[in-house]
Amino acid sequence: MVALPPAELQPAAQVDAPPGLDNLRSRRHLFVGRASELDLLDAALDDQAGAVVQAVHGLGGIGKSTLAAHWAATRAHGCAPVRWIEADSRAGVQQGLADLATALQPALASALPVEKLAERALQWLATHTGWLLILDNVNDPADIATLTDGLTTGRLLITSRLATTWHHATNLVRLDVLGPDESLDLLTRIATSAGPRDLDGTADLCAELGHLPLAIEQAAAYLVENQLTTPTPRAYLDLIAQHPADMYRDAVVGTAPERTIARIWHLTLDRITALHRPAADLLRTLAWYAPDHIPTTLLNDLADPPARNKAIGLLTAYSMISRDPGTGTVAIHRLVQALARTADPQDPHRQPHDIARARDHATQQLVRALPDDETPKSWPAWRALVPHVDALIDHALPETDTDTTADLVHRVGGFLRNQGAGPRVITYAQRALSAYQRVLGTNHLVTLNARIRLAYAYQAAGDLDKAIALFEQTLVDRLAAKDTPSPDAPGDRTNLAASYEWAGDHLRRAMALHAYANGGAGHLEQAVRLHERILATRQQELGDSHPATLASRSNLADAYRASGDAQRAASLDQQTLAHCLREVGEDHPLTTLIRHKLAGIHTPWP
């Protein structure tokens, strides 16, 4: 046993802190923005009664440690000593306290074990004021309970990815991403640290990285190190698009491997998965949706309600997602999404089969969530889901589409068409047709129907040549498949008779388009007759109030107007407007279109 000088044996309360005890971590990173967060940390200076406990929480890579170090080094908090403790484990906390004890009394280092040194530090903290401990990267509040529950003096500043466990904190600072101007400033300052360079694409790169500080620093450091091969931020964007797994995972020389976004979130998911594996499955599913306003109804079939709720709670607690109780939606950072849907065989959380399963699950959830009708009362539900369908088809490769994907984009494309969405309708119709052709075959009736939907989309966009070609080719292919029952035929009519009727309706549409395109009295009279037949057919099969029938009435009015019978056209439009107001409502695009026509503003309805 080591004998201690008498001075080292005095009670902790009688030990004064010598100068130079601070061990604040090096502030290597540039600091931008965060004025409001710094002010929040300052605000606790006004409350000096008892211990002051503050917690800064947020997503891994958001800059919590950087904020804490900058505040402690630059603000007038008046605390001494300032001690930094790596608090990601119970052992780390204990070692940090032991280091404080030996810093106060160096002779204790060889006389007491770590446990006793930590106890000595706690005794000193409890009997002194004015000190500041920064407990960095706390993963479990239990690891720091002896500090948060047992001390009544001094100041604790906690940084953690945990968002929901700091009820005892004097104030809680939620750290979000940088603003666009701030992230632009950060990337520019690092990227040009070695001299001037071409900054083409800087704003686009910051947006792609979701203004996440660590990702901005990682990208900027890569640009500095690889100036010859990656001369601009736009070149870095191209690398992310072509090699996302490598770019998210690899660090530049001089950067610790764990200081990349892939590694940081890997460690978080290790912990989450150990607690509840379905949470990782949920995160991979969320990766395929739009980042904001994700309805929790899309998560209903993830697991039984308790397991689903636990998964949502864990991801929220670790700042991987955020919840908006007022709207019943969740949000997720776009870079977390990008990583979660990028396969990497080296990462157990991003195995290709798990990512493919999550993509298919996200698709199925969207199909189940689609409303059963397109009446105005269902429009809010449709509109809430469309951004998430947009995101899915944007991120999923067409060759991975299944029949479920095809059904999804086919139905949503139909809704967008009836909403007058223009070019997006063509995108959806093309995607649905491509998927059906690959999954079901070129001449399957469902594929042919998808081709007709694309023809209507071209017609609505004014591309009559493409519309007519598709209508006519589909007629040929449809008649070639005449022995197959038509799922679109009314009632129980099938086979040849139904095939000819189905094809005839679309042939009449093609001929009507020819008439409009070519002009001339004969063609226009033919168009009027064809539209009259189309309207009669739809009235018989669908009823006089069906939206498709109303659209046919509008098209017939257009044919009357084109042939010179403006009075008859206006009369039919007036009748159709009354039907629309009664059946589909004032806000329906067809209602608006007919009103425009009656006001002399003509836009053809598909």
Side-chain angles (χ1 to χ4, degrees):
M1 182 172 181
V2 178
L4 294 174
E8 303 297 336
L9 296 174
Q10 62 183 316
Q14 299 176 16
V15 176
D16 294 327
L21 227 60
D22 293 357
N23 71 333
L24 192 61
R25 64 180 290 176
S26 171
R27 296 185 296 117
R28 294 180 298 103
H29 304 287
L30 290 173
F31 190 87
V32 298
R34 306 304 197 194
S36 61
E37 290 86 353
L38 291 168
D39 290 342
L40 283 173
L41 292 177
D42 284 343
L45 293 172
D46 298 331
D47 183 8
Q48 296 296 334
V52 176
V53 180
Q54 295 174 283
V56 179
H57 70 89
L59 179 67
I62 207 77
K64 302 178 293 295
S65 301
T66 301
L67 174 71
H70 182 82
W71 177 82
T74 63
R75 307 293 270 208
H77 50 73
C79 296
V82 177
R83 299 290 298 184
W84 188 283
I85 295 178
E86 301 292 344
D88 56 351
S89 66
R90 192 181 298 268
V93 174
Q94 187 178 70
Q95 185 60 57
L97 289 171
D99 292 343
L100 170 60
T102 56
L104 288 163
Q105 295 176 284
L108 295 180
S110 57
L112 297 176
V114 170
E115 297 84 355
K116 294 298 182 181
L117 289 169
E119 291 176 8
R120 179 78 172 177
L122 285 171
Q123 293 168 10
W124 187 89
L125 293 169
T127 55
H128 291 75
T129 61
W131 48 261
L132 167 64
L133 291 188
I134 300 174
L135 305 174
D136 189 42
N137 196 26
V138 176
N139 285 319
D140 186 344
D143 294 341
I144 60 171
T146 55
L147 293 163
T148 55
D149 298 341
L151 297 176
T152 58
T153 65
R155 184 167 190 161
L156 298 174
L157 177 55
I158 300 162
T159 75
S160 178
R161 297 170 199 176
L162 290 170
T164 58
T165 57
W166 307 113
H167 311 298
H168 57 284
T170 303
N171 67 347
L172 195 61
V173 179
R174 179 183 181 272
L175 204 58
D176 207 338
V177 297
L178 295 170
D181 291 341
E182 295 166 345
S183 64
L184 187 68
D185 182 29
L186 180 60
L187 193 148
T188 300
R189 288 164 63 183
I190 299 175
T192 59
S193 59
R197 67 180 304 154
D198 186 349
L199 293 174
D200 173 52
T202 304
D204 291 339
L205 177 55
C206 290
E208 180 67 22
L209 299 176
H211 308 292
L212 187 75
L214 180 60
I216 298 292
E217 292 176 5
Q218 187 176 335
Y222 188 95
L223 289 169
V224 171
E225 186 177 87
N226 298 276
Q227 186 159 359
L228 292 179
T229 56
T230 313
T232 66
R234 193 166 304 285
Y236 188 89
L237 270 171
D238 292 340
L239 284 174
I240 291 178
Q242 297 168 23
H243 309 283
D246 295 324
M247 300 305 293
Y248 295 142
R249 180 184 60 238
D250 296 339
V252 300
V253 174
T255 301
E258 63 272 13
R259 291 296 299 169
T260 66
I261 55 173
R263 182 60 179 163
I264 280 182
W265 294 337
H266 175 101
L267 295 174
T268 302
L269 283 172
D270 279 347
R271 190 168 184 85
I272 291 173
T273 304
L275 295 170
H276 189 56
R277 181 170 179 78
D281 296 331
L282 171 60
L283 188 72
R284 285 187 289 268
T285 300
L286 291 172
W288 295 98
Y289 300 138
D292 300 311
H293 307 299
I294 304 171
T296 52
T297 52
L298 290 177
L299 314 178
N300 284 345
D301 292 338
L302 170 73
D304 59 80
R308 177 200 63 213
N309 293 343
K310 184 175 181 180
I312 294 173
L314 269 175
L315 292 176
T316 303
Y318 279 91
S319 302
M320 299 300 281
I321 65 173
S322 58
R323 289 186 287 190
D324 184 350
T327 62
T329 64
V330 300
I332 177 173
H333 191 276
R334 61 183 297 166
L335 202 56
V336 173
Q337 289 184 300
L339 197 71
R341 64 174 179 262
T342 299
D344 185 352
Q346 299 182 34
D347 189 335
H349 304 299
R350 296 189 286 135
Q351 293 298 296
H353 63 276
D354 287 332
I355 289 177
R357 186 173 63 221
R359 180 194 62 236
D360 292 344
H361 182 77
T363 306
Q364 293 161 7
Q365 290 295 90
L366 284 167
V367 169
R368 293 188 184 112
L370 293 179
D372 294 329
D373 59 62
E374 292 184 26
T375 58
K377 67 179 181 181
S378 71
W379 289 355
W382 279 100
R383 289 168 179 165
L385 293 172
V386 165
H388 304 296
V389 181
D390 283 341
L392 177 72
I393 66 172
D394 184 43
H395 297 305
L397 296 174
E399 55 265 30
T400 67
D401 287 350
T402 64
D403 54 347
T404 305
T405 315
D407 291 343
L408 174 67
V409 294
H410 183 74
R411 290 183 59 191
V412 175
F415 169 75
L416 292 174
R417 171 175 170 262
N418 290 332
Q419 295 285 305
R424 291 172 66 204
V425 179
I426 294 177
T427 299
Y428 270 79
Q430 289 172 330
R431 185 70 173 256
L433 177 58
S434 176
Y436 281 134
Q437 286 180 157
R438 188 173 56 82
V439 174
L440 301 176
T442 302
N443 290 328
H444 192 282
L445 293 179
V446 173
T447 305
L448 297 176
N449 192 40
R451 197 185 298 167
I452 287 297
R453 176 68 62 83
L454 179 56
Y456 282 130
Y458 282 133
Q459 179 195 341
D463 195 338
L464 298 187
D465 289 339
K466 287 184 179 178
I468 291 168
L470 275 175
F471 278 128
E472 293 178 336
Q473 183 58 48
T474 305
L475 169 64
V476 173
D477 294 340
R478 181 63 181 86
L479 293 177
K482 62 181 180 294
D483 293 329
T484 305
S486 170
D488 300 304
D492 60 358
R493 291 175 298 165
T494 56
N495 298 328
L496 184 59
S499 296
Y500 276 112
E501 182 164 346
W502 182 94
D505 183 59
H506 295 300
L507 177 60
R508 290 195 294 272
R509 173 59 63 107
M511 292 175 66
L513 288 175
H514 270 304
Y516 283 133
N518 296 331
H523 289 297
L524 292 173
E525 289 174 6
Q526 183 184 39
V528 169
R529 291 196 300 271
L530 290 172
H531 278 296
E532 287 174 339
R533 290 175 62 186
I534 292 171
L535 175 58
T537 300
R538 286 186 171 174
Q539 286 174 320
Q540 179 181 359
E541 296 176 355
L542 302 175
D544 205 44
S545 301
H546 192 279
T549 306
L550 297 176
S552 293
R553 293 169 67 96
S554 175
N555 288 333
L556 177 56
D558 291 343
Y560 288 150
R561 188 173 287 104
S563 65
D565 196 342
Q567 183 175 357
R568 194 175 185 184
S571 176
L572 183 56
D573 275 336
Q574 290 281 6
Q575 297 173 30
T576 307
L577 178 61
H579 277 281
C580 286
L581 290 170
R582 184 173 64 252
E583 302 299 335
V584 298
E586 188 165 347
D587 295 330
H588 196 282
L590 182 58
T591 307
T592 301
L593 180 143
I594 294 173
R595 277 189 165 143
H596 284 175
K597 288 198 296 180
L598 290 170
I601 307 170
H602 180 65
T603 303
W605 178 261

